[in-house]
Amino acid sequence: QVQLVESGGGLVQTGDSLRLSCTASGLTFSTYARAWFRQAPGKQREFVAGILWNSGATKYADSVKGRFTFSRENSKNTVYLEMINLKPEDTAVYYCAARRSTLTSYPKSAEQYDYWGQGTQVTVSS
């Protein structure tokens, strides 16, 4: 059974930093991609950042480029999202996701991911 467990969310002020973690268990198969999504109240879940596991290629949403960094620790099957200079519009529930099979294009839609964590709340006050 695949489990993705996020941690690291919290309440911070504008300009602060946070690091989210997502540890996977039960991944007995090769993962094609891992990603972070977020969902604010009343909005659709949106792609934030991702990595193609074998190549290490990362991709970011335009809204977070230069502020968020996706990293990983293979030995712990853990991915991280380092977030700096947080803004109130970053407030959302953040989810990590994993996709098993390959694609010809970079997977940036929630529907393209097979496994999800329970989410961690990030709230940025102004």
Side-chain angles (χ1 to χ4, degrees):
Q1 182 180 356
V2 176
Q3 275 195 315
L4 302 177
V5 180
E6 304 101 333
S7 62
L11 172 62
V12 297
Q13 294 185 330
T14 297
D16 283 351
S17 302
L18 276 177
R19 187 178 81 159
L20 306 183
S21 302
C22 173
T23 297
S25 60
L27 282 176
T28 57
F29 51 84
S30 296
T31 303
Y32 174 65
R34 300 275 292 273
W36 289 95
F37 285 75
R38 65 186 181 187
Q39 189 166 19
K43 294 189 176 182
Q44 288 189 328
R45 194 168 296 191
E46 64 174 356
F47 176 85
V48 175
I51 190 168
L52 299 183
W53 202 254
N54 287 341
S55 69
T58 55
K59 191 172 287 285
Y60 297 90
D62 289 342
S63 59
V64 306
K65 281 180 183 176
R67 300 189 298 121
F68 290 13
T69 303
F70 193 113
S71 62
R72 62 181 174 175
E73 193 167 354
N74 290 12
S75 63
K76 295 184 178 180
N77 217 346
T78 297
V79 297
Y80 304 96
L81 188 67
E82 301 271 1
M83 307 184 292
I84 66 170
N85 192 21
L86 282 161
K87 304 175 181 181
E89 51 263 43
D90 295 319
T91 295
V93 178
Y94 284 70
Y95 298 90
C96 70
R99 177 181 171 89
R100 181 172 179 173
S101 59
T102 60
L103 280 175
T104 56
S105 61
Y106 203 105
K108 295 174 66 176
S109 298
E111 296 75 17
Q112 293 176 311
Y113 285 82
D114 306 303
Y115 304 100
W116 292 87
Q118 82 288 350
T120 185
Q121 177 71 46
V122 172
T123 303
V124 185
S125 64
S126 56

